[in-house]
Amino acid sequence: LVLPEDWNGKWSNVVSKASVIDVTPTIFSFLLSQSTLSFFACKLIIFGGEVLSHLLARTVFRASRAATVWNTYGPTETTVF
C-alpha cells in the first residue's frame, strides 16, 4: 500500500478507491470498523495469513454480492502467484 503525502488519515478514502485488496482477516475487520461499507466496491478481496471466520465471510458476501472472494489461507499459502 502506498499512501499519498497528503493522506488525511481516513482509511475509508484509501480503501474506497481500491479494486483489489489482499489482506488478513484481522486487518480487514479493522478496516471494516474504521470505514464505511464503501470499500465493498472492491472487485476482488483476497484473504490470507490466518483463518477466515464464517462470520466475516458472511459479512463480506452480504455487503458485496459483486466481489469475488479468495481465501488463500492454508497449505498452498506459500505458493507464489
Side-chain angles (χ1 to χ4, degrees), residues 22-76:
D22 185 354
V23 66
T24 64
T26 298
I27 297 298
F28 190 84
S29 294
F30 169 76
L31 293 173
L32 180 61
S33 72
Q34 297 296 309
S35 64
T36 65
L37 293 180
S38 63
F39 71 89
F40 280 111
C42 290
K43 302 214 183 304
L44 175 61
I45 303 170
I46 305 168
F47 289 105
E50 60 191 45
V51 175
L52 175 62
S53 73
H54 292 289
L55 178 61
L56 183 56
R58 271 187 295 219
T59 301
V60 171
F61 284 120
R62 285 182 181 153
S64 178
R65 303 210 184 269
T68 299
V69 176
W70 292 352
N71 182 8
T72 61
Y73 179 71
T76 60

